[in-house]
Each structure stands twice: as structure tokens, then as C-alpha cells.
Amino acid sequence: MTADTEPKAPTGIRTAIMASAGAAVEWYDFFIYGTAAALVFPHLFFPADLPPFVAQIASFSTFAVGFIARPLGGMWFGHFGDVHGRKKALVLAMFVMGISTTLIGLLPTYASVGILAPLLLVTLRFAQGLAVGGQWGGAALLAIESAPANKRGFYGSFVQVGVPLGVVLANTVFLIVSAMSSDEAFLSWTWRIGFLVSVVLILIGIMIHLTVEEPAAATLPDDTPVETTRRSPLAEAASKHGRAILLAGGAFIANNVCFYIAITYAIAYGSTTLGIDRNILLAAVMVGSALMIPALIACGAASDRFGRSGVFLAGALLCGLWAFAVFPLLESGSTLAVFIAIPVMLIFISMMYGPQAALFAELFPRAVRYSGASLGYQIGSVVGGGFAPIIATALYAQYDDSFPIAVYLAAVCAVSFVCVILLAGRLRTPQHD
């Protein structure tokens, strides 16, 4: 990037903030489904005579469908974004997410339409997965490619902040709705409110379309549009950068598994198995998510100064060790212990997730960056987080002990640790974009 094309900081920050706002609401849509899958869907979208354990597994299975769809969304939106621009791909993904989430809030229950209810739920969850598979790459690249070369980690962290903001928004809505209604009303209709308000995502998409400029880095150095020289960015990314894509996916596994265990499985395990009040668990997730926001920005900025890999590796190591503390803390039944267990895990996760947007973007050249970064991210998401609550539930059912779950978390942290070491030499400097 030359001095003439170096983005001015105020413009880049505005772009990063707008991308973060869009990411926050889109992740809100994705996460509110996870909370509902733990607390509501087992009772409403499956036969009433199913054993609670089976209904919970079935509900988490619909949650996993969104993760299965995410690599497909990453592939399609990645190709679209490399050919037609980051902004168009991001706005389209936001529209798909906003519409599908709103429709979930209007679905009939199993008692009303039988087997059609879970089928419709799975279909709309699949659409959510497609959308979120495309939004991360668009939001991350809008921010990073609008950033000064020495602040990519800092600017990219604003998009990563969208994740905890989405969690806070989703849990806030559930806490407010739960507090203002009886258990009967909550299961009957008030849970739908959180899904219906997602229509605001469409409005944010329109604002981004009207106010955000496509970054100069989304075109080739001679300003020739990518589509005239790259007929298939997706195929080029897969053929020339396949190893980097797979290692990026492996690097993301620990982050994703630990995160969804902390914000989804811990709620179900704590409320159903341990008898902890669900509002305490939701509040602990909210506190941890709120703490993630400054932690993500600090870790992204630290990666600009000390390198992406070092910050990421420290987070993987700490998460792997904390896995053996988090469940004993929850099982103590102490409210204070709950507020230590979950927030500390989320802070350690921030050390991986904060620099991740810049790390993934710097693995690929501009012309295939959306495709390559999105594929790596979404492969890690489906292998990691999509099945994490199911695996954790099955491990506890098999062993009647949380220790095997801690071993599972430590193992995925070890996988990501190795993958990041192997990726360290592949990062691209601004001069070699």
C-alpha cells in the first residue's frame, strides 16, 4: 500500500466501528439461537414425551446445523466478496441473517404443526449459518483493509468485539424478557421477542451500504477490478493456499470450542445438572462478555506490537490450563465461583480471538483474501464450536464426570497451539500484500 492509498485513521476507524456494529447485531442473531436452544427449544419444538436429555441433544443438534452451513456461506460469500467487493457481500449476508432470525420468532411449535416445526427451525438455522459464514470475512476485511498497515490488529479487533457485544445483547434480551414474564408466558410467547427485534439488522445493513466506502485494498494495485483477472477466487484460494486454509481452521478450533462451552453448554449444564439459577449463569456470561470487549481490543493492539502468533499462543496455553479449573468452580455451586469460572475463560479466549482477524487476513493475498480467510474461519467453526455442546453433553452422559470435558478442551487447545506455530512463517507483510 503506497502513501497515496494509505487509509486515513478517522475514515478507517469509522469503517471499523460500522463493521463492528453490523457484526454485533448479526452475532446477536446467531447467539440468541444458542441461548434459546439451551433454555426454550427442547420444550417447544420436539415431542413432549422425549426424555429431557434426548430433547436437549436434539435442540443442540439444530444449533449445530448453523455451523455446518457456515463453511458453505464462507465459500459463497467469500467468492462473491473477492469478485464484487467486501461491502456488497457483507450487506447481503446481513439481510439474509435479519430475515431468517425474524422468521424464527414467528415459527409455530411442535404442538401446533408437529414435525414441520423442527424442520422449519432447522431450515432457518441453516440460513443463519450461511449468513454468518459470510459476514465475518466481509466485516473483518472492511476494517483491516481500511486500516493503517501498522494497526491492522487494532482495527481488526473492533470486528471481533462484535462477538461479545452480540452475546451481551442476546443475554440481556433473555434476562429482561424472563424477568418481566412468568415461566409459562416465557415458554408460550415472550421468548419470541428477542428474535423479532433482529429486524434492526436490516436497517444497519442499509446504513453500511449508504455510508461505508469499499476499501482501496479490495482492488488490485492497478485498480483493475478483481473480477476481470480472477474468474474463481475460491478455486485459486483452495488450490494455492489449501494448507494455510486448513491450518487456519485448526488454529480457530480451540477458540471456538472453548467459547461455545462457556456460553452455551455451561448454561445448560449449570441450570439442568447442577441446579444453578439460569439468571446467575446468564449474568456470568454477560459479565465475561463485557470484559472481553476491552480485552479483545488490547490483544489486537498487542499483536501489532509483539506479533500475532505470540499473543495467540499465550491464549491457547492459558485456555487449556483453565479448562481443568472451570468445571470444579461451577460444581462448587458458589455464585462467586461461577462469576470467576466463565469470565476468566472468556478473557483467555480474547487472547486468541483479538488478533485473529489480522492474522487470518495476512495469510492470503488480496485477490483471494475473502475466500481464504472465510474458509479457514468457518472450517474451524464447524469442526470446533458446532459440535462442542453435543460432545460435552455426551461425555458427561457417558462418564458422569466433567473431567473428560476438561481433557477435551485441553486437547483442542493443543491442536490450535501447533497450528499457529506452523502458520507463523506464512504471514504477509504490508509490502507483500
Side-chain angles (χ1 to χ4, degrees), residues 196-288:
L196 297 177
V197 299
S198 68
V199 71
V200 73
L201 184 62
I202 298 173
L203 302 178
I204 295 177
I206 293 173
M207 289 178 59
I208 289 177
H209 176 70
L210 295 176
T211 62
V212 171
E213 296 181 2
E214 188 75 27
T219 57
L220 296 179
D222 61 357
D223 291 329
T224 304
V226 172
E227 62 182 312
T228 64
T229 58
R230 298 289 196 277
R231 292 295 181 183
S232 181
L234 177 62
E236 182 176 340
S239 63
K240 294 185 178 180
H241 306 280
R243 184 171 184 269
I245 290 171
L246 292 176
L247 288 174
F252 188 41
I253 288 176
N255 189 323
N256 219 27
V257 168
C258 293
F259 184 74
Y260 284 102
I261 291 296
I263 72 163
T264 300
Y265 176 74
I267 294 175
Y269 176 65
S271 61
T272 303
T273 304
L274 303 178
I276 300 172
D277 185 89
R278 73 183 180 196
N279 288 341
I280 292 176
L281 293 162
L282 290 173
V285 170
M286 286 181 61
V287 168

Side-chain angles (χ1 to χ4, degrees), residues 134-166:
Q135 78 81 17
W136 179 82
L141 295 186
L142 272 181
I144 291 168
E145 292 178 346
S146 299
N150 63 343
K151 293 186 177 180
R152 286 174 168 178
F154 175 66
Y155 279 60
S157 70
F158 279 81
V159 174
Q160 309 301 77
V161 161
V163 171
L165 278 177

Side-chain angles (χ1 to χ4, degrees), residues 78-255:
H79 177 89
F80 185 90
D82 280 328
V83 172
H84 299 291
R86 286 65 165 118
K87 185 175 77 170
K88 289 181 180 178
L90 175 59
V91 170
L92 179 58
M94 293 172 71
F95 270 72
V96 172
M97 178 63 89
I99 292 169
S100 58
T101 307
T102 301
L103 290 176
I104 289 174
L106 300 173
L107 283 181
T109 64
Y110 189 92
S112 301
V113 297
I115 193 65
L116 184 61
L119 290 178
L120 290 172
L121 184 66
V122 167
T123 299
L124 292 174
R125 179 59 176 175
F126 190 85
Q128 280 192 319
L130 290 175
V132 84
Q135 78 81 17
W136 179 82
L141 295 186
L142 272 181
I144 291 168
E145 292 178 346
S146 299
N150 63 343
K151 293 186 177 180
R152 286 174 168 178
F154 175 66
Y155 279 60
S157 70
F158 279 81
V159 174
Q160 309 301 77
V161 161
V163 171
L165 278 177
V167 173
V168 170
L169 289 171
N171 286 333
T172 297
V173 168
F174 260 91
L175 284 171
I176 292 173
V177 169
S178 178
M180 295 181 64
S181 59
S182 65
D183 288 345
E184 293 77 13
F186 180 73
L187 287 176
S188 176
W189 68 274
T190 59
W191 67 269
R192 299 178 183 272
I193 295 172
F195 289 85
L196 297 177
V197 299
S198 68
V199 71
V200 73
L201 184 62
I202 298 173
L203 302 178
I204 295 177
I206 293 173
M207 289 178 59
I208 289 177
H209 176 70
L210 295 176
T211 62
V212 171
E213 296 181 2
E214 188 75 27
T219 57
L220 296 179
D222 61 357
D223 291 329
T224 304
V226 172
E227 62 182 312
T228 64
T229 58
R230 298 289 196 277
R231 292 295 181 183
S232 181
L234 177 62
E236 182 176 340
S239 63
K240 294 185 178 180
H241 306 280
R243 184 171 184 269
I245 290 171
L246 292 176
L247 288 174
F252 188 41
I253 288 176
N255 189 323

